[in-house]
Amino acid sequence: MTGTAEAAGVAGKSGATGAVTVSDRSPVRVGQARGMCLVGVDGVPVTVECDISRGLPGMSIGGLGDTAVNQARDRVRSAMINSGLAWPKSRVVMSLSPAALPKSGSGFDLPMVLAVLSAQGMVADGAPGADPTATVVIGELGLTGEVRPVPGVLPMLLAARGAGAVRAAVPAGNAAEAARVDGMDITGLDHLDQLLPWVHEELDAPVADLVGAEGDQVAATPSRVPDLSEVSGQSAARRALEVAAAGGHHLWLTGPPGSGKSMLAERLPGILPPLTDTERTETAAVHSVAAEQGNLPAVWSGRRPFVAPHPSLTLPALTGGGAGRVRPGAASLAHHGVLFLDEAPEIRREVLEGLRTPMENGRIALSRARGTVVLPARFQLVLASNPCPCGAPEPADCRCRGGVRDRYLQRISGPVRDRLDLTARTTTDRSAVLDTGGGVEDSATVRDRVLSARDRGRHRWQAVNALVDGPALRRDHPAQDAAMLLLQEHLRAGGLTHRGVDRSLRVAWTLADLAGVGQPGIGEVMDAVELFTAEIDGGRS
């Protein structure tokens, strides 16, 4: 009671002497800016708020930021002072909303500066860059005020555009990819002293236009693509490669060392159709998040990515991961392209098993304590293996101990093998290597057949044959009656699993499309079953 009475007395006394009461407070000025964060390969808008209040000088940041976000207090202060901008001499409280969303990376430095400037009243009301609902600011700051590139600018801006943003300031180093986002006024900044002029539309030149033009020039002259004419012989493997390209099928190549497995795999992108506009944007977004800027010119030119990691790769290197910001792995970097795994039996078993889900549904779900991150991974897989550890071309020449040859290929599990539509073997043909007489088809010739086959499939079900749903395929688009009976016999005899029947039927449709046949017959189905169940020194387990 005493404390309450004293408090009431103090309150009454203050009011009597004319002190400021709650109702007399002036409006609080809170500076705002909009930044962006990444969740997987998707951008999420983040509102950055700044309040300058009484208290000892310092800066606190709330909103579940990682170490890079929390260390922004030192970068932002030094960058502003060294750029001739006033730093508050009292307490600064920064909030990143939504507060429950984990945030990572250094891309919030620039929006923090804009929020501080707004809270200090240095941003004019009604300035084009002052509206956080229509403006996005992204960038890392050096201590001298230099604006440095950050990963993931492309998917961030795509998400910002979807949220209603029409203007964006990004680092000049990211301006080339940012300029690819239609419907937004993009400006690249080199230094922090350009921020306020950009906010008030007083910046002389839009840097993004200049850098974007250079990016277009680079994309128009991509590096050379390996050509199929450089592969001599290997008629069976070349045919399997063409079928894989025409139907989007996964392929397993096996053969002695030096017989051309890697050469064939490297030439698969050269006979695939170019990326569509949607595929190009999706693929570029993944490479942007992974900070693989060197691959963007080839992607923008329409070339499908070719990713060939070392056999010693780990599961996170394949599927993606990371403690803070999730970085896409090799499977996601090969999105809409080719993932080539050489020396597949040397890859750890749990790594290969990580391919099973993305081979089926084209995505990778990474479970974290705060939620699940989904990464795209619609790739075309090519596995390559030697027949045994010693690499002997024929079983009679093998120097491995008993049973080693069989156990070597059995490191690729049955479930993984069952998801490989095609199997082919390369041979050591010494006469073909020395043959310079020509007559070998180049990639352009094969690509023409592949494009024609894909057109037939697209008109039939708007997808490549490898992605057609199995039950719908059997019900609505079966092969001829005799061919379907043949598949039923293989299933009854145990030569094919239910998944194997569906995959063989898909391959049969691809063979029919390549041949210009309206419906697979018994010949196409027999070839498809042979390509699916081909004996690879012990066959499929």
Side-chain angles (χ1 to χ4, degrees), residues 189-200:
L189 305 181
D190 291 303
H191 197 273
L192 184 56
D193 56 16
Q194 297 174 320
L195 181 60
L196 276 179
W198 171 80
V199 170
H200 298 105

Side-chain angles (χ1 to χ4, degrees), residues 194-393:
Q194 297 174 320
L195 181 60
L196 276 179
W198 171 80
V199 170
H200 298 105
E201 283 192 339
E202 298 172 356
L203 194 62
D204 292 337
V207 183
D209 290 346
L210 301 177
V211 181
E214 293 175 2
D216 289 338
Q217 185 176 3
V218 173
T221 57
S223 58
R224 176 184 175 275
V225 180
D227 197 273
L228 201 57
S229 61
E230 299 164 345
V231 180
S232 301
Q234 310 299 348
S235 59
R238 287 171 62 99
R239 178 173 180 263
L241 195 75
E242 180 178 342
V243 174
H249 304 288
H250 302 306
L251 173 64
W252 183 14
L253 294 172
T254 184
S259 58
K261 301 185 296 294
S262 298
M263 288 187 66
L264 286 165
E266 291 169 355
R267 283 148 182 80
L268 179 56
I271 62 175
L272 290 172
L275 292 165
T276 64
D277 291 342
T278 301
E279 293 173 340
R280 189 180 305 168
T281 302
E282 293 177 359
T283 305
V286 174
H287 286 262
S288 175
V289 172
E292 298 284 349
Q293 301 293 326
N295 296 331
L296 289 179
V299 171
W300 287 124
S301 70
R303 184 188 305 172
R304 295 186 180 271
F306 178 82
V307 181
H310 192 270
S312 63
L313 84 164
T314 61
L315 184 60
L318 178 67
T319 60
R325 178 178 65 87
V326 174
R327 188 182 188 278
S332 293
L333 292 175
H335 185 54
H336 293 312
V338 178
L339 176 62
F340 176 51
L341 298 181
D342 199 6
E343 304 292 346
E346 301 295 341
I347 300 174
R348 286 187 291 181
R349 190 181 183 95
E350 65 270 17
V351 176
L352 289 177
E353 293 300 305
L355 292 170
R356 289 165 59 174
T357 299
M359 288 173 71
E360 290 289 333
N361 56 30
R363 62 189 184 93
I364 296 173
L366 301 176
S367 298
R368 295 291 185 267
R370 298 184 182 274
T372 300
V373 177
V374 178
L375 300 175
R378 178 65 69 188
F379 55 82
Q380 192 168 348
L381 178 65
V382 179
L383 291 184
S385 63
N386 295 327
C388 65
C390 74

Side-chain angles (χ1 to χ4, degrees), residues 490-517:
H490 279 285
L491 179 64
R492 185 181 296 112
L496 290 175
T497 62
H498 286 86
R499 182 185 289 117
V501 169
D502 291 341
R503 294 194 176 277
S504 296
L505 189 55
R506 295 185 185 109
V507 173
W509 269 108
T510 300
L511 293 171
D513 290 337
L514 284 170
V517 179

Side-chain angles (χ1 to χ4, degrees), residues 515-531:
V517 179
Q519 184 183 21
I522 193 167
E524 286 77 22
V525 168
M526 289 178 64
D527 286 348
V529 171
E530 182 179 355
L531 286 167

Side-chain angles (χ1 to χ4, degrees), residues 89-130:
K89 296 182 179 180
S90 58
R91 182 167 181 77
V92 177
V93 179
M94 201 75 67
S95 174
L96 277 61
S97 177
L101 178 70
K103 303 164 190 71
S104 61
S106 54
F108 297 102
D109 292 3
L110 210 56
M112 286 184 184
V113 171
L114 184 55
V116 171
L117 295 175
S118 178
Q120 290 179 315
M122 298 179 65
V123 177
D125 293 336

